[in-house]
Amino acid sequence: MNAVPVVVLVGPMGVGKSTVGQLLAERLGVGYRDTDDDIVAEQGRSIAEIFVDEGEPDFRAIEKRAVRRALAEHDGVLALGGGAILDEDTRALLTGQRVVYLSMDVEEAVKRTGLNAARPLLAVNPRKQWRELMEARRHLYESIATAVVSTDGRTPEEVTQAALDALELKEA
């Protein structure tokens, strides 16, 4: 069976992929899946623990497998981890999919995530590291996006509606 997600959400950590994804799934009458949740369930530990115990390269390999599996199995709304798009094969798999890049600026990121230490990639100088991460990733998000939806100053409901409008999807 080869399913195709109705919508794939990408964007930085803390942008609201899980919240918006669940709202989108509800409004579209489809299931919701998050590859980070898949990884935690499969590995039996948090993303932060995997990062600390195994290192980023091993985590990215686990993530790549989880994304490939979810893209093949899930026909609802799928949210990917913030760094999933770093992998070239993953980006290739997203070609032709309906991908929404949820974007936010650094001030919004500070408000939402508190840029806290539970985010392994932001442990030292959170603002600076977040900016650097986004400089490295923004063009990758944009290169695979069908639509870019800014989340700055918007409620999850407003972001969900903007995503539906951008993709011209009808609610169930």
Side-chain angles (χ1 to χ4, degrees), residues 7-12 15 17 78-82 84-85 94 99-103 140-142 144-145 147 149:
V7 179
V8 179
L9 296 176
V10 299
V15 77
K17 294 182 298 283
L78 179 64
L80 304 187
I85 48 82
L94 292 170
V99 179
V100 175
Y101 162 34
L102 298 180
S103 69
L140 298 175
Y141 289 132
E142 290 171 350
I144 55 153
V149 175

Side-chain angles (χ1 to χ4, degrees), residues 6-7 24 28 98 161 163-171:
V6 177
V7 179
L24 265 176
L28 293 169
R98 268 196 212 104
Q161 188 59 55
L164 288 169
D165 293 346
L167 296 173
E168 299 179 4
L169 289 173
K170 302 287 178 256
E171 292 181 52

Side-chain angles (χ1 to χ4, degrees), residues 39-40 43 45-55 59 62:
I39 293 166
V40 169
Q43 297 289 316
R45 55 198 166 141
S46 73
I47 302 286
E49 288 172 312
I50 299 167
F51 252 87
V52 170
D53 296 345
E54 312 295 332
F59 170 76
I62 293 166

Side-chain angles (χ1 to χ4, degrees), residues 12-146:
M13 58 191 100
V15 77
K17 294 182 298 283
S18 298
T19 304
V20 170
Q22 288 165 0
L23 287 169
L24 265 176
E26 202 175 286
R27 303 251 312 252
L28 293 169
V30 297
Y32 169 75
R33 184 166 173 177
D34 183 320
T35 57
D36 280 353
D37 294 343
D38 291 354
I39 293 166
V40 169
E42 178 192 294
Q43 297 289 316
R45 55 198 166 141
S46 73
I47 302 286
E49 288 172 312
I50 299 167
F51 252 87
V52 170
D53 296 345
E54 312 295 332
E56 186 173 0
D58 284 1
F59 170 76
R60 294 294 174 208
I62 293 166
E63 180 177 55
K64 178 179 179 172
R65 288 192 303 273
V67 170
R68 186 182 318 118
R69 191 168 41 248
L71 284 170
E73 295 172 356
H74 189 65
D75 61 1
V77 175
L78 179 64
L80 304 187
I85 48 82
L86 294 171
D87 183 77
E88 190 177 336
D89 295 335
T90 296
R91 291 195 307 278
L93 288 174
L94 292 170
T95 303
Q97 303 266 2
R98 268 196 212 104
V99 179
V100 175
Y101 162 34
L102 298 180
S103 69
M104 68 178 167
D105 68 23
V106 71
E107 296 314 316
E108 192 79 10
V110 170
K111 270 189 269 180
R112 289 195 199 178
T113 63
L115 293 179
N116 61 36
R119 309 283 185 171
L121 289 178
L122 300 178
V124 182
N125 180 341
R127 276 176 194 253
K128 178 174 181 275
Q129 287 180 295
W130 194 87
R131 276 197 190 92
E132 287 171 1
L133 270 180
M134 283 311 298
E135 281 166 23
R137 295 178 180 181
R138 184 175 290 109
H139 72 284
L140 298 175
Y141 289 132
E142 290 171 350
S143 74
I144 55 153
T146 309

